[in-house]
Amino acid sequence: DIVMTQSPDSLAVSLGERATINCKSSQSVLYTSNNKDYLAWYQQKPGQPPKLLIHWASTRESGVPDRFSGSGSGTDFTLTISSLQAEDVAVYYCQQYYTTPRTFGQGTKVEIK
Amino acid sequence: EVQLVESGGALLQPGGSLRLSCAASGFTFSNAWMNWVRQAPGKGLEWVGRIRSKTHGGTTDYAAPVKGRFTISRDDSQNMLYLQMNSLKTEDTAVYYCTTEDGSSAFWGQGTLVTVSS
């Protein structure tokens, strides 16, 4: 199975500041035939189901604010919130869909400092 | 608008069985691959399994902890997804979500809670 490891487990960021979450996979999730990274990011607010923010490592879902961006390739990925807003308080998960079983990172809790 | 509505969650004892349902609307369900994902209380997300569309064989894949105990099925005539859970264990306690599967999971239901406790 591909193990997804996120860092940090939690972070507190001031409103308007940048938040950075890292995700590392135990093996590459880059499919060389199409040069796509099979990596998604989800946001989960308390009491709600997860919401897909980014797929293919860097493609924002429709309606997702552009302060959210994804980067990286192969085994190392980053989710960046460029200017943290109060409504961004949530737990963020990365997930690989390169193979089954689909696997998620353990989650990173983002709070306001 | 895509809607996924899970039902069937309950409190039951270890060793019991339960079937969860997911009613889908707002998209062509018969063409969709579908997942079940669970989340234990206060914990992270765990993929349970998926079912392909009938045109892709309708076959299933499962996570190791549930393989042989859980079965995913679908009724395309009713736009319904199912999760049959047998030989339930306390560690199966979780909110169970159905999701669309297009690689990533773009759409999620609100989830249904399954509690396994003696």
Side-chain angles (χ1 to χ4, degrees):
Chain A
D1 297 1
I2 298 178
V3 177
M4 308 299 289
T5 304
Q6 292 180 226
S7 62
D9 289 334
S10 64
L11 74 162
V13 175
S14 300
L15 288 172
E17 296 300 305
R18 180 184 299 261
T20 301
I21 301 169
N22 299 302
C23 175
K24 188 174 183 68
S25 57
S26 61
Q27 63 188 76
S28 177
V29 298
L30 172 65
Y31 194 41
T32 53
S33 65
N34 60 8
N35 200 37
K36 285 182 178 289
D37 288 282
Y38 283 56
L39 189 285
W41 288 96
Y42 300 86
Q43 175 194 63
Q44 187 178 32
K45 298 181 179 180
Q48 296 184 17
K51 173 187 174 183
L52 178 63
L53 296 177
I54 287 170
H55 61 282
W56 304 127
S58 60
T59 302
R60 264 190 311 274
E61 277 291 282
S62 174
V64 173
D66 60 7
R67 63 180 180 273
F68 291 92
S69 63
S71 62
S73 184
T75 61
D76 292 280
F77 301 90
T78 300
L79 175 70
T80 301
I81 310 172
S82 60
S83 176
L84 191 75
Q85 305 299 304
E87 61 265 33
D88 301 335
V89 168
V91 179
Y92 293 84
Y93 296 92
C94 61
Q95 180 211 22
Q96 64 80 20
Y97 50 98
Y98 182 85
T99 188
T100 56
R102 308 294 196 224
T103 46
F104 293 88
Q106 78 276 18
T108 295
K109 187 174 186 178
V110 174
E111 299 172 308
I112 305 295
K113 185 187 291 183
Chain B
E1 178 195 5
V2 171
Q3 280 204 313
L4 298 169
V5 180
E6 302 93 339
S7 61
L11 167 63
L12 61 165
Q13 294 188 332
S17 296
L18 192 66
R19 188 177 83 158
L20 306 182
S21 301
C22 172
S25 61
F27 64 105
T28 306
F29 179 75
S30 60
N31 291 344
W33 295 28
M34 299 293 293
N35 283 325
W36 286 97
V37 174
R38 68 184 180 182
Q39 186 170 35
K43 302 297 185 183
L45 301 168
E46 181 184 23
W47 181 82
V48 172
R50 75 170 176 194
I51 187 165
R52 296 171 180 81
S53 64
K54 288 280 182 2
T55 57
H56 289 90
T59 52
T60 52
D61 299 292
Y62 298 96
V66 308
K67 195 169 185 178
R69 298 188 299 124
F70 289 13
T71 302
I72 299 173
S73 61
R74 62 192 300 156
D75 181 346
D76 290 344
S77 68
Q78 299 291 321
N79 290 352
M80 294 293 294
L81 177 72
Y82 301 104
L83 179 65
Q84 177 67 43
M85 304 185 292
N86 298 330
S87 304
L88 281 159
K89 306 176 181 181
T90 56
E91 52 264 42
D92 295 320
T93 293
V95 173
Y96 285 74
Y97 297 102
C98 68
T99 88
T100 56
E101 150 86 30
D102 184 18
S104 56
S105 293
F107 298 100
W108 297 62
Q110 289 297 311
T112 188
L113 176 62
V114 175
T115 304
V116 185
S117 174
S118 54

